Amino acid sequence: MTLEIATVKAILKEHNLLVSVDEAQATSFSGIQYDSRKVTDGDMFFCKGNFKPAYLISAKNSGATAYVAEQKYDEGTGMTAVIVSNVTRALAVLSAAYYDFPQDKLFIIAITGTKGKTSTAYFAHSILKNHTEGKTALFSTIDRIVGPEPEDEFKSDLTTPESLDLFHDMRTAVDKGMKTLVMEVSSQAYLRDRVYGLKFDVGVFLNITPDHIGRNEHKDFEDYLHCKLQLMVNSKYCVINAETDRFEDVYMTAKATSQPERIFTYAREGATLSSDVRTDFTFKNDQDRLDDMEISVQANSYRAKALDIAGDFKVNVPGDYNQSNATAALITAGLAGAKASDAIEPLSKIVIPGRMEHLDVPNHGMVFVDYAHNYASMKALLRFLHGQYPDGKVIVVVGSPGDKGISRRAGFGKALSAHADLAYLTTDDPGFEDPNAINDEIEQSITPNTVQVKRILDRREAIATAIKDSKEGDVVVLAAKGDDHYQKVRGVDTPWPSDMVVANEVKRGLE
């Protein structure tokens, strides 16, 4: 693949991003990169993020013949200089062009929400994989699946990757025969222009509660909401949870750019809604067990019935909060052409890594691993488990990441106060912060005398102690990391076996 300077100019002008071009000898580029360590001969290098001129020197020495930046750099003398008004947006539109607009060859479903994105994405992917005979890709917080072979599945670094990596993986998916793509879209994806210029066939809005507010993230809740709403603006069809906070804002945003007949809403049967908009789908559940759950989805409008996705389903992921996620996935899959019959078997067998995985430890508590990483998800998880184990203790092992998600810390304290008996505060991706200082913030938000608090910074030791000290009938929750295999410590991804692997090690030791 190559990118010609004439194409670069035309695309940047189309998006009102081009400021100037100072052409050197290079007018054709064999690749594009934003990481100077990956540059090869003939590449175009993007000066973005925490950029330092030394990175441009490194890229030039590695063979880069052009750079894209928001200002000229002396270090780039002799290179073609493309000056733009917004380098992250320029990276997005030029990445799409370089990979020959792979999004045009995929039916793309995008999912956003404070909680439930990953579960909903896995539900939708399982249904559509069955419907398309395996030709459905998945870009999630946990995994990226770009093709039908085992080597086409790998772990994700970000919920929504940088635009260059996003379009690279889309192109790979297209080349491997994928027809449909299910992907999570975070608020950061819009804040950092990772999905700038992308239009989606279906956009799903699950819910909104405060999260990702703090330094290096959203300045306040309204900014967070604004970024989430951009998915509705950029989607042909919109699927909205009518029970979400700020529903009117979400619905009116969708309505501003989509015809009303292309907006589908859903809610739990009998739910008290903040709007008089009639829901297209309702769902109910009369049984909610730890091994699975059963939901009944009803179509209420003519266009909802036309999707032929309503029915009764068993879902192999417990938790009352997953009823809503499964319903959203069913509607979404219906808009992609799936029918209720396509969903019955996949939903009954689905396993989501790091989501409500459980381990029975004889003579000790039942251990659950779940990626509950903010107030809303932690509250929903602990409330459900407390209802399932009313006579035992709810014991939680949890920490909070450093350098981001600052608002989550107070949220954890609030959720623990309401639904936990014992909390072990530990380490979880501290980054460049002190884990003890992070745990101070969590503990300061715990209502006094509501939950016993212990601190064990070594996560492995915290997990082992929580399990060993638990009794039959208790529940031990290993929260927030899920299936994550790294601890991010001072800029280094330090290998971590995953919470469930450690829990199994403890179990074997006890046996």
Side-chain angles (χ1 to χ4, degrees):
M1 295 180 182
T2 59
L3 197 59
E4 305 296 328
I5 193 65
T7 302
V8 171
K9 291 179 183 178
I11 290 173
L12 292 176
K13 285 180 180 178
E14 179 185 352
H15 290 272
N16 297 315
L17 293 169
L18 185 64
V19 174
S20 66
V21 176
D22 183 6
E23 290 187 32
Q25 292 183 347
T27 59
S28 181
F29 313 102
S30 56
I32 54 178
Q33 287 292 347
Y34 62 84
D35 186 339
S36 60
R37 297 166 296 184
K38 297 180 180 180
V39 169
T40 57
D41 283 341
D43 282 355
M44 171 180 279
F45 177 67
F46 285 77
C47 306
K48 67 172 287 293
N50 297 317
F51 173 75
K52 298 177 181 178
Y55 300 157
L56 180 54
I57 295 173
S58 175
K60 184 178 179 180
N61 291 339
S62 295
T65 55
Y67 72 91
V68 181
E70 294 176 6
Q71 67 179 69
K72 283 190 176 181
Y73 291 98
D74 292 339
E75 291 81 359
T77 300
M79 304 171 71
T80 293
V82 180
I83 310 304
V84 296
S85 58
N86 187 310
V87 71
T88 54
R89 293 183 177 184
L91 177 63
V93 296
L94 292 180
S95 296
Y98 177 74
Y99 287 109
D100 194 24
F101 307 100
Q103 68 271 32
D104 296 341
K105 300 174 179 64
L106 292 165
F107 186 97
I108 306 179
I109 295 160
I111 302 165
T112 199
T114 302
K115 63 173 181 173
K117 293 188 297 296
T118 300
S119 297
T120 305
Y122 268 81
F123 289 147
H125 176 259
S126 69
I127 299 168
L128 288 168
K129 183 180 178 182
N130 187 36
H131 171 67
T132 62
E133 298 181 340
K135 296 179 180 179
T136 298
L138 173 68
F139 296 175
S140 80
T141 299
I142 303 173
D143 293 319
R144 302 177 76 70
I145 300 173
V146 297
E149 303 301 327
E151 59 267 27
D152 297 327
E153 181 174 342
F154 50 93
K155 293 296 178 184
S156 296
D157 295 323
L158 294 167
T159 297
T160 311
E162 293 289 352
S163 55
L164 174 62
D165 306 314
L166 180 62
F167 286 106
H168 169 275
D169 289 352
M170 282 187 184
R171 168 46 56 190
T172 301
V174 170
D175 291 345
K176 289 181 176 291
M178 300 294 101
K179 302 298 182 183
T180 306
L181 166 63
V182 179
M183 63 179 288
E184 297 179 46
V185 176
S186 65
S187 61
Q188 294 288 299
Y190 277 106
L191 184 65
R192 307 298 180 196
D193 295 314
R194 295 172 188 161
V195 291
Y196 177 77
L198 263 178
K199 302 296 181 183
F200 303 99
D201 293 285
V202 182
V204 183
F205 195 103
L206 299 174
N207 46 64
I208 183 81
T209 56
D211 196 20
H212 291 292
I213 299 168
R215 59 183 180 272
N216 303 322
E217 296 185 285
H218 299 284
K219 60 182 180 180
D220 53 34
F221 178 75
E222 293 303 319
D223 183 57
Y224 176 56
L225 174 61
H226 170 76
C227 288
K228 290 285 191 189
L229 291 176
Q230 298 314 299
L231 181 58
M232 299 292 93
V233 174
N234 291 288
S235 297
K236 184 187 299 183
Y237 285 88
C238 298
V239 178
I240 306 170
N241 178 6
E243 295 182 72
T244 183
D245 289 346
R246 303 292 287 268
F247 171 77
E248 290 83 0
D249 291 328
V250 181
Y251 186 82
M252 294 308 294
T253 299
K255 193 175 178 181
T257 52
S258 297
Q259 295 297 321
E261 61 268 21
R262 290 187 171 184
I263 303 172
F264 290 81
T265 60
Y266 66 96
R268 187 181 306 273
E269 185 178 273
T272 301
L273 305 178
S274 60
S275 172
D276 58 0
V277 172
R278 184 187 177 200
T279 53
D280 297 286
F281 290 90
T282 50
F283 64 91
K284 65 178 180 179
N285 167 255
D286 296 324
Q287 298 183 52
D288 202 355
R289 303 180 300 272
L290 280 170
D291 52 347
D292 62 15
M293 66 175 175
E294 297 177 359
I295 60 170
S296 178
V297 178
Q298 179 176 327
N300 302 321
S301 64
Y302 174 79
R303 58 205 176 92
K305 293 175 182 177
L307 292 183
D308 193 19
I309 203 70
D312 298 326
F313 306 90
K314 285 189 176 181
V315 183
N316 192 41
V317 183
D320 50 2
Y321 46 92
N322 276 317
Q323 298 165 22
S324 179
N325 298 335
T327 301
L330 283 161
I331 301 167
T332 299
L335 289 168
K339 305 299 181 186
S341 57
D342 294 311
I344 293 173
E345 184 176 12
L347 289 181
S348 69
K349 295 182 177 179
I350 188 170
V351 175
I352 305 175
R355 297 304 193 273
M356 285 296 283
E357 291 186 282
H358 56 277
L359 177 69
D360 186 5
V361 182
N363 303 314
H364 294 274
M366 178 72 78
V367 178
F368 285 86
V369 174
D370 192 88
Y371 185 63
H373 66 290
N374 55 41
Y375 168 67
S377 55
M378 176 78 82
K379 176 185 175 183
L381 172 66
L382 298 185
R383 184 193 65 228
F384 171 72
L385 291 176
H386 194 273
Q388 296 287 324
Y389 292 85
D391 299 323
K393 290 183 178 179
V394 174
I395 303 167
V396 184
V397 177
V398 68
S400 193
D403 311 318
K404 66 176 185 177
I406 309 301
S407 60
R408 295 175 183 172
R409 300 168 192 179
F412 282 155
K414 187 178 177 182
L416 291 169
S417 299
H419 299 290
D421 298 293
L422 172 59
Y424 288 88
L425 302 185
T426 189
T427 300
D428 181 354
D429 295 336
F432 290 92
E433 289 193 67
D434 177 4
N436 254 322
I438 294 172
N439 288 332
D440 282 344
E441 294 185 45
I442 297 175
E443 189 164 3
Q444 287 165 8
S445 299
I446 293 176
T447 303
N449 303 317
T450 58
V451 55
Q452 184 182 2
V453 178
K454 297 183 180 182
R455 289 199 194 191
I456 303 178
L457 292 187
D458 185 299
R459 191 175 183 93
R460 188 187 296 268
E461 183 183 348
I463 291 171
T465 303
I467 295 173
K468 290 175 182 177
D469 290 351
S470 66
K471 308 297 182 185
E472 191 85 44
D474 292 344
V475 55
V476 179
V477 181
L478 311 182
K481 285 197 73 65
D483 196 45
D484 189 1
H485 288 262
Y486 293 92
Q487 283 270 23
K488 299 180 186 300
V489 182
R490 303 199 68 80
V492 177
D493 283 347
T494 305
W496 170 251
S498 86
D499 284 0
M500 183 55 82
V501 169
V502 173
N504 271 293
E505 290 174 355
V506 175
K507 178 181 178 178
R508 287 194 294 272
L510 290 171
E511 291 174 342

